[in-house]
Structure formats: structure tokens, C-alpha cells
DNA sequence: AATGCAATTGCAAATCATTTTCAATTAGGA
DNA sequence: TCCTAATTGAAAATGATTTGCAATTGCATT
């Protein structure tokens, strides 16, 4: 999770160029604190640079992901499009199957689970892709519950 | 995770038909204890029924998933194709970024994390999509490690 | 400031997993 | 056995993402 001022350094070090398009996409991602898909990022960027192309959005997202500057998420359980957000403190996501709401959360238990597995099997866990699906508090009231109820 | 003998019942109850193609695909999935993608399932099935179509494989997988008979997994971190396995005891997966090996594991900690979130936010967690990525024990020896090393 | 060139871009066409359309077939209840 | 809605195969369509290519542009170097 690099600080914004470190980004030019990162690019320079890897022989990458900090183009106007990349700067713009970084702005969009930084300003919009949300989980955006490529098309939405494209739309937002196009407002400030009408010439930017969707291909550049995808290419840039791939670069930013490779550099650890953005994180890619698969929030929808049936996995169509990816969503992106600036890399920040490690966190996970819950998606409501009913209303689509996404809730971020942290979890020491999940981190423990990763450590435990790593130690037990002598392997190295680089990343945890964790997404919980279910019904949010609002939707739970109305929806029929899955298992046994009180 | 229904027992094999319950499957006809499940189909009947939901007005679905137990066709020869569906029986065949259930056989393939049951016999091959592995995580198969749709194309592989198709290839295996075609050996016994050369007329079966890939469309039917996809349609059947969707039905079996909806009925909770098979589970869909996204094992590869860059999420191209899905993999399928018969629903069994809840478990998670670790994928080695180097050699592609997939390791199954169970985790009470992850289940705790789900319960904790559910209770804290009064929501209902129906399913946990958990995939850890990293380097397996074999590949860790050779690969440059990610963070600080001893 | 001018030069050189590899990295990057926009556009269009290409991929590729998955879905859909539709006419023909078939499971399974009456 | 009949009837009909569910299912199928084949081919075309979809939709997110990628790629080929010629034109542009950062940026290190004169
Ligand atoms: Mn997030
Ligand atoms: Mn498994
Ligand atoms: Zn909801
Ligand atoms: Zn490995």
C-alpha cells in the first residue's frame, strides 16, 4: 500500500512512464472511495480526458495492480466483472445477494487462518481472496432464512 | 451437500428432469475427485456420450450449483474459468502461483470469522468464497520471498 | 532546447469463457 | 400411450478483457 508520493518513484524504478492517462486514472481511483469496475473508471476518466480509451484503462489497471498500487476484487458471486480500489489496509468484503450492497470488514481471525495454514504446511500466503456472500441486515428481515430459525 | 441417493428427489421436487446427460455429468463429477473446469468436464463426458454439447454442460452445472449439488470455485487468481466439484464438507483452497497446485484445507478460524461478522452486523453469511494464493512448500524454497526473511 | 527511442496510446479487431436462440427431442405425470 | 413443458444440440451471440499495429509521447541523453 504505497503512499501517493511514492508512486512516481515506483514507476521510475520499474522503467514505467507516468503518462497523463495514468495520472488521471490514479486521480479517479483516489478520489472515488468505492469499488469501481473498469467501465465505470473509464466513464469517470473520460469526463476529464475524452480521448482516453477503455484499453488504456485495462492496461493501466493491470500495471497498477502489478505494482501493488490498486487491488482487484471479485465482489459479485457469479464473477463477471472485476472491481478495483486503491490498495489500503488489508480488508475483506461481504456482498448482499439481495441488494448488492458491499460491506468492508477487517478480520484478525482470517489473518490468523492464513498464518496457521502457512505455518502448518510450510508455505507462503501472499494474498487472501475472501468474499462473504449472504443477506445484509436490512434484507435479512424480509428474506426467508437459509437454515433453521428460532 | 446432498447424498447421491437424494439427487433424484431434489430434481423431482423442483420440477427438473433427470436426463441422461445430467446423470452422466453427475457421474463424471463424482468419479473424478478433482476441480474440473467446464471444458474438461465436457471432454470427459464426451467419451461416454459423444453427442453431449458444451452448452448442456454449462446449463447442467448451473442447475447443479443452484441445487447445492456442486460448488463453483475460482481457483486462479486472475479469474478466467471456473472450476467445479461435488459439494462436500466445507473447505477452502490455496493456489500456488508458481506451479498451480491447489491445496484444500479446512479452517475453524475462517468459520469463526464468518460467525463473528454475522453476529456483529446482524447479517446472514450464506457462503464464504475464500482462496489463498502464494507459494507452496516446494516452490517457496526456490522463489524469492515476498517480505523480510530470517 | 533538440534528439532518440522504447514505452505507451487509441482504435479496431480478436479472444475466450459463458450464455442464448430456436427448432427438435424427451422425461415423466396423467 | 399421450401430452406438454423441460431439455437438448448446434450455431450464433454476448460481454469482459486483451491484443495488433501504427502513431504518439515520456524521459534519459546529448
Ligand atoms: Mn474494499
Ligand atoms: Mn475443493
Ligand atoms: Zn441487502
Ligand atoms: Zn508450487
Amino acid at each position: 500500500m504505497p503512499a501517493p508520493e511514492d508512486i512516481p518513484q515506483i514507476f521510475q524504478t520499474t522503467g514505467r512512464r507516468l503518462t497523463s492517462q495514468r495520472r488521471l486514472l490514479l486521480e479517479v481511483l483516489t478520489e472515488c472511495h468505492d469499488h469501481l469496475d473498469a467501465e465505470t473508471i473509464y466513464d469517470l476518466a473520460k469526463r476529464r480526458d475524452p480521448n482516453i480509451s477503455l484499453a488504456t484503462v485495462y492496461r493501466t489497471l493491470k500495471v497498477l495492480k502489478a505494482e501493488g498500487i490498486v487491488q482487484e476484487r471479485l465482489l459479485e458471486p457469479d464473477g463477471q466483472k472485476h472491481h478495483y480500489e486503491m490498495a489500503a489496509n488489508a480488508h475483506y468484503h461481504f456482498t448482499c445477494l439481495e441488494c448488492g450492497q458491499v460491506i468492508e470488514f477487517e478480520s484478525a481471525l482470517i489473518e490468523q487462518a492464513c498464518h496457521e495454514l502457512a505455518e502448518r504446511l510450510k508455505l507462503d500466503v501472499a494474498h487472501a481472496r475472501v468474499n462473504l456472500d449472504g443477506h445484509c441486515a436490512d434484507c435479512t428481515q424480509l428474506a426467508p432464512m437459509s437454515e433453521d430459525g428460532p
Side-chain angles (χ1 to χ4, degrees), chain A:
Chain A
M1 44 203 108
E5 64 270 22
D6 295 339
I7 292 176
Q9 183 64 196
I10 293 174
F11 272 71
Q12 186 199 31
T13 307
T14 52
R16 301 202 139 108
R17 293 180 183 173
L18 198 37
T19 64
S20 62
Q21 291 90 336
R22 288 180 176 173
R23 255 192 293 271
L24 172 54
L25 292 174
L26 280 167
E27 269 179 44
V28 167
L29 285 162
T30 303
E31 289 175 13
C32 183
H33 294 214
D34 199 352
H35 306 95
L36 305 164
D37 59 52
E39 190 92 34
T40 305
I41 294 170
Y42 172 57
D43 289 340
L44 292 173
K46 220 170 12 176
R47 294 184 191 169
R48 303 196 215 168
D49 174 1
N51 285 329
I52 198 170
S53 81
L54 184 54
T56 293
V57 171
Y58 276 108
R59 282 187 285 233
T60 301
L61 287 172
K62 185 179 281 193
V63 167
L64 296 178
K65 184 176 67 156
E67 299 300 344
I69 297 167
V70 309
Q71 303 228 253
E72 187 181 52
R73 314 285 189 186
L74 192 48
L75 299 174
E76 293 155 39
D78 287 305
Q80 308 115 69
K81 56 187 74 167
H82 288 122
H83 292 243
Y84 300 87
E85 63 180 323
M86 293 297 288
N89 56 318
H91 65 272
Y92 312 101
H93 301 84
F94 168 92
T95 305
C96 177
L97 299 168
E98 198 70 20
C99 66
Q101 180 188 187
V102 172
I103 298 174
E104 300 186 324
F105 67 96
E106 298 175 28
S107 172
L109 287 172
I110 288 175
E111 262 133 54
Q112 262 185 66
C114 295
H115 287 145
E116 186 184 288
L117 185 79
E119 196 155 314
R120 181 157 61 83
L121 299 187
K122 298 283 174 263
L123 49 78
D124 170 46
V125 175
H127 186 64
R129 298 170 3 238
V130 174
N131 274 85
L132 309 185
D133 306 315
H135 296 274
C136 72
D138 293 346
C139 295
T140 295
Q141 297 178 296
L142 314 171
M145 61 204 76
S146 53
E147 209 91 348
D148 54 350

